[in-house]
Amino acid sequence: MTTGTDPESSNPAHSGLQVSLTVLVEGPFTRGPDGPLTTTLRVPVERIGPGPRSARFDVIVRRPGEKPFSLELGSRTPPWMVVDEGPPDSLAALLQDSRFLAQQVYAVAASTLALFESTLGRRMGWVGGGRLTISAYDRVSYRESGYYRDDGLIRFGHKRDGRAEKAVPLALFRDLVAHEVTHAIVDGYRPKWADSHAETDQLALHEAIADLVALLSVFSTQTLVEQLLTQNGGDSLDLDTLDENLLRSDLFRLGDGLFTHGSARPSLADELAPNWRTLSDPHLRGGAIVQVLLRVVARLWLMRLDLPGGRSSLYQVARAGASVGRQVLSMLIRSLGYMPPVDVTWEDLLRGILAADQAVVPDDDLDYRGVVVTAFAEAGIALPTPTDLYGVSTFTALRYPVRLAALSSDPEEIVRFLWENPTLLAAAKIDPTRPIVVERVRPTLRVGPDGFVVSEIGATFTQEFRLSAVEARRFGLNTRVPVFIRGGGQLRFDEGGRLSFAALKPILDPERQRAKLAAVQGTGVTDAAPPLAPQLPGATSKIAATPPVVSVHRRPTFHP
């Protein structure tokens, strides 16, 4: 049966098809024996128009010093996909090749989006349902590069580097593109983690997730792992004596050495700073969690190597490392569906990783979750003992006056479920006189290691409002100005429509709101004039034919 979508062809529908596109493994300075080291990424087949432009992306390309122009990268007949071309062999030609730059940006961005969608089992929304615009070689400097959340725009500038005569486009670095696209994905999925009321922990989590997706996406390329092991170990590399310190040293890095000096991120080989939870820079605070999860990768990697034949060759060692990196990345991404929509903490991240993994892999015979718990505990992050991992043990005899078909798509059905269950309302400390906002409700399908499909429905709700100074003091908050408070929760229902998971942030909880207010007052910021903390900002002008002018008030989400 044919689609008839293209008058020049009667090819069958291409839903679910993928195609391989060549990209740089890490960046233009990672070289192989005959030129830049490359790999292929599998991306979904879709129609590519001039630009290049797809249903989800609009890539703007410019040559240095010139206006943006459109590139024809797709074939003229279905599947309309980008026609794959390799990069030039010489560094000078690579830095000037606009066609390959566009292919690199599109392929990395599309594969990053596909990674989230395949792992979470659902389409990821962003930019208000529109396209994410990526300016691949912008006039801005590298310090102004980043994700502009208000415009649905990512701008990649350029940077001078002593290894090349001309400025180097940041978009040629696979991890930097993955980092910024991840910001856009997470921002679309959990918008209140980066709004004007977000606190430093939420912004730091944004940075940690973006860094880990970038690092582990690159690390999942086996040929790169082999090369890095050889470089770090040198002639004395002994596979039998590989330990955690060697596996963590310089194997994970952002920007292919472009930011060797002045990095805003801690060295992954160093110990965690004792005060990491109070660091004001979200990149530095999030960097601690990056270290924690990379320790998990290194330890699970060593466990693989200790199996029979695990150290038999460099190929086997690198293959095991790349595989573990992909698995830990999947654990991290799945945790997004098990964390609350507001005021998320590092304990919420740990609980989300454990709960999501247990739902998909009940039999943890390799003790992945045990390694995660130990690594987080070393950073001072632990769950109470005993812990109700799924958060539903106290919710007995719930009323289910809902229809399953509506529960998976209708926000009003979630509101009705909450309202009909006073114990749930009380646990979330919802103000019954104010509206409850259900921000999203979506079905998810995931395949476990046993081949069976895990079917769930995920829903998030929030409630937020401002208390006058008098109301706030009556509530128990020490303040002379109005106070904004909010809370909410993440609910998950099993395939039968029964509540199987709840992560709540109680709204009318004086203790929780006092702690938040104290953190804000400690920064010298009053709630009367939000934002309460630095946010992932965005420019205010609109994108048209050319990228907008950078706002002087914008903080880039990526600091080299």
Side-chain angles (χ1 to χ4, degrees), residues 70-324:
S70 290
L71 286 172
E72 295 279 0
L73 301 186
S75 63
R76 300 195 176 199
T77 58
W80 306 298
M81 192 59 214
V82 172
V83 178
D84 186 39
E85 293 186 9
D89 291 339
S90 75
L91 178 61
L94 175 59
L95 298 183
Q96 294 293 309
D97 191 332
S98 299
R99 198 258 175 227
F100 182 78
L101 175 65
Q103 177 177 308
Q104 165 97 0
V105 170
Y106 173 78
V108 175
S111 66
T112 302
L113 178 60
L115 170 66
F116 276 82
E117 292 186 338
S118 63
T119 304
L120 292 174
R122 48 152 298 178
R123 294 291 185 195
M124 306 298 294
W126 60 17
V127 195
R131 290 188 181 98
L132 176 68
T133 301
I134 305 178
S135 183
Y137 196 125
D138 208 283
R139 289 193 176 96
V140 299
S141 73
Y142 72 96
R143 295 185 183 279
E144 295 169 320
S145 299
Y147 166 55
Y148 290 65
R149 70 189 305 261
D150 289 350
D151 289 308
L153 168 69
I154 296 175
R155 307 182 78 171
F156 288 110
H158 51 276
K159 189 179 187 298
R160 290 284 177 180
D161 186 276
R163 293 170 290 182
E165 294 183 1
K166 295 185 177 294
V168 182
L170 296 190
L172 276 179
F173 295 87
R174 175 182 169 189
D175 45 13
L176 303 192
V177 176
H179 176 101
E180 299 301 345
V181 171
T182 298
H183 272 310
I185 295 171
V186 175
D187 192 40
Y189 192 61
R190 292 287 181 260
K192 293 186 185 298
W193 286 5
D195 68 4
S196 61
H197 298 288
E199 297 172 317
T200 306
D201 269 353
Q202 287 93 69
L203 304 181
L205 180 59
H206 239 282
E207 295 297 340
I209 294 173
D211 274 358
L212 284 162
V213 171
L215 290 164
L216 293 178
S217 294
V218 171
F219 187 72
S220 65
T221 304
Q222 181 176 324
T223 53
L224 177 64
V225 179
E226 290 185 38
Q227 180 168 306
L228 291 175
L229 282 171
T230 303
Q231 290 174 353
N232 291 355
D235 296 335
S236 60
L237 178 63
D238 185 351
L239 300 181
D240 292 329
T241 59
L242 286 176
D243 58 14
E244 182 180 338
N245 291 331
L246 178 60
L247 296 185
R248 284 171 50 201
S249 62
D250 295 328
L251 291 185
F252 306 97
R253 59 191 184 183
L254 279 171
D256 192 13
L258 189 64
F259 306 110
T260 303
H261 304 289
S263 174
R265 290 160 175 81
S267 170
L268 300 175
D270 294 342
E271 294 302 315
L272 295 178
N275 64 334
W276 71 268
R277 295 191 77 150
T278 60
L279 297 173
S280 59
D281 188 315
H283 299 82
L284 288 173
R285 191 181 296 191
I289 297 302
V290 175
Q291 287 180 283
V292 167
L293 283 170
L294 292 184
R295 286 180 181 178
V296 171
V297 173
R299 291 170 185 178
L300 293 175
W301 190 3
L302 284 174
M303 289 167 56
R304 287 282 193 93
L305 299 185
D306 290 339
L307 296 174
R311 299 173 187 259
S312 59
S313 68
L314 181 61
Y315 171 85
Q316 292 284 29
V317 170
R319 182 181 181 183
S323 175
V324 166

Side-chain angles (χ1 to χ4, degrees), residues 464-491:
E464 54 186 29
F465 47 87
R466 189 174 297 277
L467 297 175
S468 68
V470 173
E471 291 173 324
R473 287 195 295 272
R474 191 180 302 130
F475 181 58
L477 303 181
N478 183 20
T479 180
R480 296 182 179 180
V481 297
V483 174
F484 173 87
I485 67 173
R486 71 178 173 189
Q490 163 79 35
L491 305 178

Side-chain angles (χ1 to χ4, degrees), residues 519-544:
V520 171
Q521 291 173 337
T523 65
V525 181
T526 67
D527 191 71
L532 305 182
Q535 60 173 330
L536 293 177
T540 56
S541 53
K542 299 298 181 183
I543 182 71

Side-chain angles (χ1 to χ4, degrees), residues 355-371:
D357 191 66
Q358 186 164 307
V360 178
V361 190
D363 186 9
D364 185 23
D365 56 341
L366 297 178
D367 197 32
Y368 275 44
R369 293 192 286 274
V371 174

